[in-house]
Amino acid sequence: MADNMEPDRIVVLGAGYAGLRCISTLALARRQGLLDARLTLVERHGYHQLITWLHEVACEVIPAERARVPLDRLIPDDQVEIVQAEVTGVDPEQRQVITDKGRMPYSRLVVALGSEPAWPQIPGLRDYALSLRWWHQAVHVRTHVRRQFAKAGRARTRGARRRLARIVIAGGGFTGCQLAGEFAHWLPLLADTYDVPLDDVHLMLVEAEERLLPAWRRWVGRRAEQVLRRKGVDVRLGAPLERVEQEYVVIAGERVPTATLIWAGGIQAPPFLETAGLPTGPQGRVYTDAFLRASGFRDLYVAGDSALAIDARGHVLPATAAQALRQGEHVAKVLLAEAAGASPPPYQARHLAMFISLGGGDAVGDIFGVPVRGRAAGLIKEGVERWYHNMITAALASRDG
Ligand SMILES: Cc1cc2nc3c(=O)[nH]c(=O)nc-3n(C[C@H](O)[C@H](O)[C@H](O)COP(=O)(O)OP(=O)(O)OC[C@H]3O[C@@H](n4cnc5c(N)ncnc54)[C@H](O)[C@@H]3O)c2cc1C
């Protein structure tokens, strides 16, 4: 890692939806001679993850490898230096990124580190719960659940079998609902494979608030609840998770034996952003100005889940891949405009079309406020995700060719 300050070095942190889009746009501009800056991408994993497919990986709907693409094959190495490292802090005063491999200077920084599960102080939660935020966790959930069903098939007592064949998902937001929808289709197949009577299979989705998808429009949550209940999901609302032990969980005072708890109860931006003195709001996300710079910071931009984007009506925009892509692209445009000595374009924060899959090709969502549901919504969601996957693999094919 270089110790000397480069005259102009743009460092992008995170190769998720926002970071990859940003660095790819900058790399293309550099190749075309529109940008004269050294480009560095810092990412802990050696791959880009298609996170919107993780619940499908976890439930064996798609092969795991489909949901990640190696970074060195996605990013032109003649334009971008890829550093595989864990970012542990940012020092805006010194203009340095702190990583597990040392400090790295920047002249302009793009923080696109996404979000991570928020872990509230629920006894036992961190010790026993699984989560679903990264690719390897999806693979782990899949392996774990399969293993529990295999054990359930061999269990000597009904009590033991029911504990092993019960999945509890805590958190009825985006991740929890999508995961419950896929499990509803997968668990009967597992039960069949391992000779577990269907009566002993139990899928619970518990949410502390009185409705699913509390951060979304009310009708979306109602629709998700109807569909999931119809698929046999035991949806419990106003039911906080209170305690987690190895053999059971306690939900709203009720002791529920289970071998699988998946925590999907909320996200937060990396906590070191706040420690670095960046202006943070709810979920530790960073307030940004009209150009997606961290408010009050001249050379530090934030995009994706780490940023707190607010629309003209004062609503916080949800943390979604679509928002992250749009912001990553916009930050690149701002950087390019600045490099060309032009006025950067302000960012227009707005609600985008969004969809939540509910398993078996079913989904719910809206396009510019118009509700779409059922198979039609599922097809649109699938189409958008395929488009994204194809766009990435097309880039690969053109490089390989
Ligand atoms: C199971 C699941 C399903 C989802 N489904 C959908 C969906 O259908 N539609 C939708 O719009 N949104 C969906 N989302 C939300 C969506 O995935 C996020 O909003 C989106 O990934 C945000 O993009 P981002 O670029 O901000 O962050 P990410 O895509 O998470 O990228 C952040 C990157 O930063 C890297 N990173 C993080 N911390 C560090 C560190 N300390 N050091 C080095 N590297 C680091 C990560 O490895 C990652 O590559 C889903 C989320 C989950 C968990």
Side-chain angles (χ1 to χ4, degrees):
M1 198 172 297
D3 281 322
N4 299 333
M5 183 73 183
E6 294 288 320
D8 198 6
R9 182 185 197 184
I10 299 175
V11 176
V12 176
L13 304 182
Y17 291 85
L20 182 66
R21 176 56 74 93
C22 182
I23 199 82
S24 306
T25 308
L26 294 174
L28 184 65
R30 193 174 186 274
R31 177 171 282 166
Q32 293 168 342
L34 301 173
L35 179 69
D36 180 24
R38 181 174 164 195
L39 297 179
T40 304
L41 175 68
V42 187
E43 164 62 51
R44 62 154 75 103
H45 299 116
Y47 46 83
H48 170 68
Q49 310 168 74
L50 291 109
I51 296 177
T52 65
W53 277 344
L54 290 192
H55 51 290
E56 297 189 21
V57 170
C59 297
E60 292 188 356
V61 180
I62 59 170
E65 287 306 327
R66 186 136 188 256
R68 64 172 182 170
V69 187
L71 272 185
D72 56 359
R73 298 190 60 213
L74 275 182
I75 312 267
D77 54 6
D78 56 334
Q79 303 298 332
V80 180
E81 170 197 16
I82 302 174
V83 178
Q84 191 171 343
E86 178 76 22
V87 179
T88 55
V90 174
D91 182 346
E93 240 167 62
Q94 299 291 321
R95 285 195 185 166
Q96 288 181 343
V97 176
I98 307 160
T99 78
D100 60 349
K101 294 191 178 150
R103 284 183 168 244
M104 177 189 293
Y106 65 82
S107 39
R108 279 170 295 165
L109 181 67
V110 181
V111 175
L113 292 168
S115 53
E116 57 191 43
W119 297 96
Q121 297 290 327
I122 297 171
L125 182 64
R126 285 217 77 152
D127 299 325
Y128 300 116
L130 308 178
S131 64
L132 187 73
R133 188 62 184 81
W134 311 117
W135 182 85
H136 66 275
Q137 294 173 330
V139 174
H140 181 59
V141 166
R142 189 185 69 174
T143 313
H144 171 89
V145 170
R146 192 170 259 289
R147 207 170 278 155
Q148 304 318 307
F149 270 72
K151 283 192 208 163
R154 299 191 300 267
R156 299 234 169 110
T157 65
R158 185 162 192 225
R161 188 162 55 241
R162 294 183 83 176
R163 185 180 80 81
L164 291 161
R166 175 177 291 116
I167 311 289
V168 179
I169 302 170
F174 213 144
T175 303
C177 286
Q178 298 202 117
L179 190 57
E182 296 305 340
F183 267 130
H185 289 263
W186 188 40
L187 296 188
L189 302 179
L190 280 182
D192 189 40
T193 306
Y194 294 108
D195 286 330
V196 178
L198 269 185
D199 281 354
D200 291 344
V201 176
H202 189 192
L203 173 57
M204 289 177 84
L205 175 62
V206 302
E207 165 57 50
E209 296 206 23
E210 292 296 338
R211 63 185 176 113
L212 291 181
L213 297 160
W216 302 77
R217 288 177 191 168
R218 198 167 279 275
W219 68 268
V220 178
R222 271 202 302 267
R223 172 73 189 174
E225 184 188 337
Q226 277 167 8
V227 172
L228 292 174
R229 283 195 197 281
R230 209 169 54 221
K231 291 184 182 208
V233 182
D234 179 3
V235 178
R236 307 269 181 106
L237 301 175
L241 177 70
E242 291 166 349
R243 176 175 199 85
V244 185
E245 297 286 346
Q246 196 166 7
E247 305 260 305
Y248 65 91
V249 295
V250 179
I251 299 160
E254 185 189 348
R255 184 181 150 132
V256 180
T258 183
T260 308
L261 169 71
I262 301 169
W263 175 244
I267 54 161
Q268 60 178 20
F272 58 73
L273 298 178
E274 186 174 357
T275 321
L278 303 185
T280 53
Q283 301 171 309
R285 296 166 76 190
V286 179
Y287 285 108
T288 50
D289 68 12
F291 305 103
L292 293 176
R293 290 186 287 239
S295 299
F297 289 77
R298 181 97 205 98
D299 303 310
L300 200 157
Y301 303 76
V302 193
D305 285 8
S306 297
L308 193 71
I310 296 174
D311 71 10
R313 289 185 298 162
H315 296 149
V316 172
L317 296 177
T320 66
Q323 295 287 353
L325 281 172
R326 189 163 175 263
Q327 290 173 14
E329 174 87 29
H330 194 85
V331 168
K333 280 187 191 154
V334 170
L335 289 167
L336 290 173
E338 285 178 347
S343 315
Y347 183 67
Q348 311 285 345
R350 59 180 160 84
H351 186 83
L352 301 171
M354 65 91 203
F355 291 92
I356 292 161
S357 59
L358 298 169
D362 204 343
V364 58
D366 76 90
I367 301 178
F368 306 120
V370 179
V372 190
R373 55 194 185 201
R375 189 73 195 128
L379 283 172
I380 298 172
K381 186 173 196 292
E382 213 177 293
V384 172
E385 286 166 353
R386 266 209 209 139
W387 161 81
Y388 184 71
H389 184 261
N390 290 346
M391 187 178 72
I392 290 182
T393 41
L396 268 181
S398 67
R399 277 169 59 74
D400 292 349

